[in-house]
Amino acid sequence: AAIPAVKEKLNVLKEVVEDYEEQLNYSSDPDARVGHKSADSSFFGFKTHIAMNDERIITAAVVTTGEKSDGKYLKELV
C-alpha cells in the first residue's frame, strides 16, 4: 500500500513542476512572480487588491507581484 501512495505523490509533484515551468513561459515580465491562491493552486503574474463599497463599486486598487499577501494592503486600500 505504501508504494502506490509514494507513486501518487511523485505524480503530483511532477504535475506541480510541469505547471510551474509552463507558467514561467506565460510571461517574460521580469517583475511577475508565482503566487498562491491555495496550497494546491498557484499562478504566475500579478495580484490586484481592491476595496469596494456596498454598491460593489471599486473605490481603491493596488497592483502587486503575485507572491504578496492580501492582508498587508488593507490599511492602504481603506
Side-chain angles (χ1 to χ4, degrees):
I3 298 295
V6 171
K7 285 184 178 182
E8 181 179 334
K9 289 181 181 185
L10 280 173
N11 285 336
V12 169
L13 181 58
K14 285 179 186 177
E15 288 177 14
V16 169
V17 169
E18 288 170 4
D19 288 348
Y20 183 79
E21 289 173 345
E22 185 176 313
Q23 287 174 345
L24 289 176
N25 294 326
Y26 286 159
S27 173
S28 60
D29 190 327
D31 296 324
R33 298 288 183 270
V34 174
H36 297 276
K37 294 182 178 190
S38 69
D40 298 332
S41 174
S42 64
F43 65 93
F44 184 74
F46 299 88
K47 275 188 176 178
T48 305
H49 311 268
I50 62 171
M52 295 190 300
N53 64 15
D54 291 338
E55 291 80 32
R56 299 191 55 80
I57 295 172
I58 296 173
T59 57
V62 175
V63 178
T64 65
T65 54
E67 87 283 3
K68 302 293 183 184
S69 66
D70 295 330
K72 181 178 180 182
Y73 298 94
L74 180 61
K75 186 176 180 180
E76 184 176 346
L77 290 167
V78 173

